[in-house]
């Protein structure tokens, strides 16, 4: 790292931290008591602070990673600084843990961008810092920096695990992935992604060697011929069926296999993936969740996903393969028709963006959800097209993990999209500087609006004196 880039990085981090501290203070002044899910998380962490480790709130659905880490930070800090009484493990102190995680996320995002794009010498230090700053203030994640939720810590351990995977430290990666799993059970999917990406890289190298042996053209993921897909599948089956190759892959990724085995053991013993409140967190095949995620990504990445060039390429693809798109639209309409689920929380809780999106758009007419299918198709195409620089095997692993982490969720909740979005955004080619600046501006505006609504536009429910606040 050059001296100027190092200075710019720490200047950006310091500025972001200073602003976050000011916002943190404002939020804690306005909302001193636990809010929404904090009503469960804060008392549970306080019970752990008091060494009541057998106490557990049955409404909590995640494992106790957040509370264990909180106690591990707060207790030594209290001893070191002489804190006592209500300060130790107070709501504000517990929320501050996520502010610390956000600093770690900032640095991890910078390291990940540098590692993933290390071969791209055209990317300047300013662009890396700008992208890091932009992703660090990604609205859905940034808002929960100021509340005692699992999202910031969950993101920290998952990003750290991914970084170690890229550096080849697979034991450390699997261990960090387990820590992420302790924050949120679905993070096991990203442990699988880490192991799968290692396998994908090894298979891609073998595939390139196979092509060189046959003196053929280097494979490009932009090829769309059916025969090319058949050839890849045949090669993949042949490669995996080789006992020698299979043993080599197992030796390579055994730490991830061990972590995933521990996860399945937990599921069997627990009787499911959810720890508590299972009635409101039932798994189902909610295929439109993929469409919602693509649309979510299209909105937050529109500076480089909705460009004249992208639209022109999409229309050319549409003209070139009308039959393929016709089949895709028919399948999408069927999935929307048969597999759209509406969680009761989505309809009842008017404190979230999803409530208003559903009411203002989807509930306007029964056919709206079908009319949006062309938008989903474009969003999915644009999303896939932006990943064409990655190998076909990497894309396969990523999309399998994306499916696994979104489709089983019955509730439309944007927090579930944080990690797949970040991993996607980290792996696409660097957008042009103008696109990056527009992306950063969008994030700042969304954050400013959301925090303004949370702080200044309070309201009350009928038959309740409690102050309600709008949030993600």
């Amino acid at each position: 790292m050059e001296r100027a880039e190092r200075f710019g990085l720490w200047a950006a981090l310091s500025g972001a931290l200073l602003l976050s501290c000011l916002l943190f203070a404002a939020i804690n002044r306005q909302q001193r008591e636990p809010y929404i899910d904090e009503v469960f998380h804060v008392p549970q962490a306080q019970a752990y602070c008091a060494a009541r480790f057998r106490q557990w709130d049955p409404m909590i659905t995640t494992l106790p990673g957040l509370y264990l880490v909180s106690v591990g930070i707060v207790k030594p800090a209290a001893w070191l600084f002489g804190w006592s009484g209500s300060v130790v493990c107070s709501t504000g102190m517990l929320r501050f843990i996520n502010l610390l995680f956000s600093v770690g996320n900032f640095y991890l995002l910078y390291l990940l961008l540098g590692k993933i794009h290390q071969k791209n010498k055209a990317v300047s230090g300013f662009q890396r810092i700008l992208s890091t700053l932009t992703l660090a203030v990604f609205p859905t994640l940034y808002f929960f920096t100021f509340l005692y939720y699992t999202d910031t810590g969950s993101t920290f351990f998952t990003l750290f695990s991914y970084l170690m995977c890229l550096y080849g430290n697979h034991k450390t990666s699997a261990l960090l992935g387990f820590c992420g799993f302790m924050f949120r059970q679905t993070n096991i999917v990203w442990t699988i992604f880490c192991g799968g990406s290692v396998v994908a890289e090894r298979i891609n190298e073998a595939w390139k060697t196979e092509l060189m042996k046959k003196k053929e053209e280097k494979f490009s993921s932009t090829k769309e011929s059916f025969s090319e897909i058949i050839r890849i599948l045949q090669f993949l089956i042949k490669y995996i069926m080789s006992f020698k190759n299979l043993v080599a892959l197992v030796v390579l990724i055994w730490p991830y296999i061990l972590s995933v085995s521990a996860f399945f053991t937990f599921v069997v013993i627990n009787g499911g993936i959810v720890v508590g409140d299972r009635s409101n967190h039932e798994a189902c095949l909610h295929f439109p969740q993929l469409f919602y995620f693509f649309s979510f990504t299209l909105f937050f990445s529109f500076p480089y996903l909705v460009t004249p060039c992208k639209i022109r390429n999409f229309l050319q693809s549409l003209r070139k393969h009308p039959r393929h798109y016709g089949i895709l639209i028919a399948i999408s309409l069927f999935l929307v028709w048969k597999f759209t689920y509406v969680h009761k929380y989505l309809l009842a809780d008017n404190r979230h963006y999803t409530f208003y999106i559903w009411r203002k758009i989807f509930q306007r007419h029964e056919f709206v959800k079908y009319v949006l299918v062309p938008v989903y198709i474009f969003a999915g195409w644009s999303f896939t097209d932006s990943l064409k620089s990655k190998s076909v095997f990497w894309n396969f692993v990523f999309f399998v993990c994306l499916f696994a982490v979104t489709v089983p969720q019955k509730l439309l909740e944007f927090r579930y999209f944080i990690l797949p979005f970040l991993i996607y955004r980290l792996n696409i080619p660097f957008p042009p500087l103008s696109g990056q600046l527009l992306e950063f501006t969008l994030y700042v505006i969304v954050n400013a609006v959301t925090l303004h609504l949370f702080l200044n536009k309070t309201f009350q429910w009928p038959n309740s004196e409690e102050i309600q606040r709008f949030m993600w």
Side-chain angles (χ1 to χ4, degrees):
M1 189 192 306
E2 295 181 2
R3 184 175 180 180
E5 184 176 349
R6 188 183 300 113
F7 176 79
L9 174 67
W10 290 113
L13 176 57
S14 301
L17 180 59
L18 176 60
L19 177 61
S20 297
C21 287
L22 294 173
L23 290 170
F24 180 83
I27 288 171
N28 275 277
R29 281 197 303 269
Q30 294 280 351
Q31 184 64 44
R32 295 184 179 275
E33 299 301 315
Y35 188 61
I36 307 188
D37 285 3
E38 286 186 318
V39 172
F40 310 114
H41 294 312
V42 170
Q44 186 61 54
Q46 289 172 342
Y48 275 34
C49 276
R52 298 195 302 272
F53 294 104
R54 291 183 177 273
Q55 180 177 325
W56 186 259
D57 188 334
M59 292 299 292
I60 296 173
T61 60
T62 54
L63 290 166
L66 176 63
Y67 320 125
L68 293 171
V69 170
S70 298
V71 172
I73 294 174
V74 171
K75 281 292 188 178
W79 174 81
L80 184 63
F81 295 106
W83 296 332
S84 61
S86 60
V87 174
V88 181
C89 287
S90 63
T91 301
M93 183 63 67
L94 293 172
R95 287 172 177 170
F96 189 75
I97 301 296
N98 278 338
L99 204 59
L100 298 178
F101 276 131
S102 72
V103 175
N105 285 335
F106 188 104
Y107 192 56
L108 287 171
L109 288 165
Y110 175 80
L111 294 176
L112 282 163
L113 285 168
K115 180 63 178 175
I116 293 170
H117 301 280
Q118 60 183 341
K119 294 181 180 179
N120 188 354
K121 303 302 181 184
V123 176
S124 67
F126 177 75
Q127 285 180 290
R128 277 192 293 270
I129 294 169
L130 179 58
S131 274
T132 300
L133 182 60
T134 301
L135 293 180
V137 297
F138 175 56
T140 315
L141 173 63
Y142 188 66
F143 180 85
F144 291 99
T145 297
F146 307 108
L147 298 177
Y148 192 59
Y149 274 59
T150 59
D151 301 273
T152 314
S154 165
T155 301
F156 173 81
F157 283 108
T158 303
L159 292 179
F160 203 171
S161 174
Y162 186 30
L163 181 67
M164 290 298 100
C165 172
L166 293 176
Y167 275 101
N169 298 328
H170 300 304
K171 294 177 186 176
T172 306
S173 175
L175 180 61
L176 290 165
F178 179 79
C179 294
F181 162 72
M182 289 294 291
F183 273 68
R184 183 171 290 166
Q185 291 90 306
T186 52
N187 284 345
I188 195 66
V189 171
W190 302 113
T191 298
I192 295 171
F193 168 75
C194 288
S197 63
V198 173
V199 172
E201 184 180 3
R202 181 63 63 89
I203 294 176
N204 190 53
E205 290 172 359
W207 172 244
K208 288 179 180 178
T209 304
E210 181 77 6
L211 292 181
M212 288 179 66
K213 283 180 182 178
K214 296 180 179 181
K215 297 182 180 180
E216 293 179 4
E217 217 176 55
K218 183 181 177 183
F219 172 73
S220 171
S221 59
T222 57
K223 293 184 179 179
E224 300 179 31
S225 66
F226 183 73
S227 60
E228 191 71 27
I229 296 172
I230 295 298
R231 288 175 58 210
I232 293 171
L233 288 175
Q234 288 174 341
F235 168 79
L236 187 60
I237 293 170
K238 181 182 176 182
Y239 185 90
I240 294 176
M241 291 300 290
S242 166
F243 181 75
K244 179 182 177 182
N245 291 337
L246 201 58
V247 170
L249 290 177
V250 170
V251 170
L252 186 63
I253 64 168
W254 69 264
Y256 304 109
I257 295 174
L258 196 63
S259 291
V260 174
S261 299
F263 164 75
F264 283 113
T265 303
F266 158 77
V267 171
V268 171
I269 294 173
N270 187 56
I273 190 173
V274 178
V275 176
D277 192 23
R278 297 183 183 181
S279 61
N280 291 316
H281 294 83
E282 297 175 346
C284 62
L285 287 175
H286 194 180
F287 290 104
Q289 285 277 26
L290 269 178
F291 303 149
Y292 306 148
F293 173 74
F294 289 146
S295 304
F296 173 88
T297 303
L298 190 72
F299 174 79
F300 281 108
S301 305
F302 87 87
Y304 42 88
L305 290 189
V306 188
T307 63
C309 181
K310 281 276 189 181
I311 294 171
R312 185 170 57 251
N313 290 341
F314 174 70
L315 292 175
Q316 288 175 354
S317 179
L318 196 62
R319 286 194 296 268
K320 189 176 179 181
H321 305 284
R323 185 179 300 176
H324 293 170
Y325 282 99
I327 294 171
L328 186 58
I329 288 173
I331 293 172
S332 300
L333 288 169
F334 175 78
L335 293 177
V336 169
W337 174 43
K338 284 292 186 182
F339 295 96
T340 295
Y341 297 97
V342 184
H343 199 286
K344 61 183 181 181
Y345 287 173
L346 182 61
L347 300 176
D349 198 335
N350 65 344
R351 296 171 293 185
H352 306 283
Y353 276 117
T354 49
F355 172 88
Y356 296 97
I357 290 172
W358 199 263
R359 190 180 72 174
K360 298 291 185 181
I361 299 176
F362 290 89
Q363 286 189 316
R364 282 198 173 274
H365 196 279
E366 176 65 21
F367 289 106
V368 168
K369 61 184 179 183
Y370 303 110
V371 172
L372 289 173
V373 164
V375 178
Y376 299 152
I377 298 297
F378 172 73
W381 175 88
S382 190
F383 181 90
T384 306
D385 182 68
S386 60
L387 288 169
K388 63 185 179 183
S389 61
K390 310 297 288 187
S391 75
V392 66
F393 306 105
W394 187 96
N395 272 281
F396 174 77
V397 170
F398 177 69
F399 276 94
V400 167
C401 292
L402 174 60
F403 181 94
V405 84
T406 56
V407 169
Q409 305 282 359
K410 187 175 183 179
L411 176 63
L412 173 57
E413 169 62 82
F414 290 146
R415 289 190 297 133
Y416 302 155
F417 296 161
I418 291 172
L419 280 168
F421 177 86
L422 289 178
I423 290 176
Y424 154 79
R425 177 61 179 78
L426 286 166
N427 281 281
I428 64 173
F430 264 80
L433 182 58
S434 58
Q436 287 184 265
L437 290 169
L438 191 56
E439 180 187 38
F440 177 69
T441 303
L442 171 67
Y443 289 10
V444 170
I445 291 172
V446 173
N447 280 328
V449 170
T450 306
L451 290 167
H452 168 71
L453 292 172
F454 181 85
L455 290 170
N456 303 316
K457 299 296 181 180
T458 59
F459 57 96
Q460 289 180 288
W461 287 340
N463 305 319
S464 174
E465 296 182 359
E466 186 178 354
I467 298 296
Q468 305 299 335
R469 297 179 185 276
F470 180 83
M471 60 183 287
W472 274 98

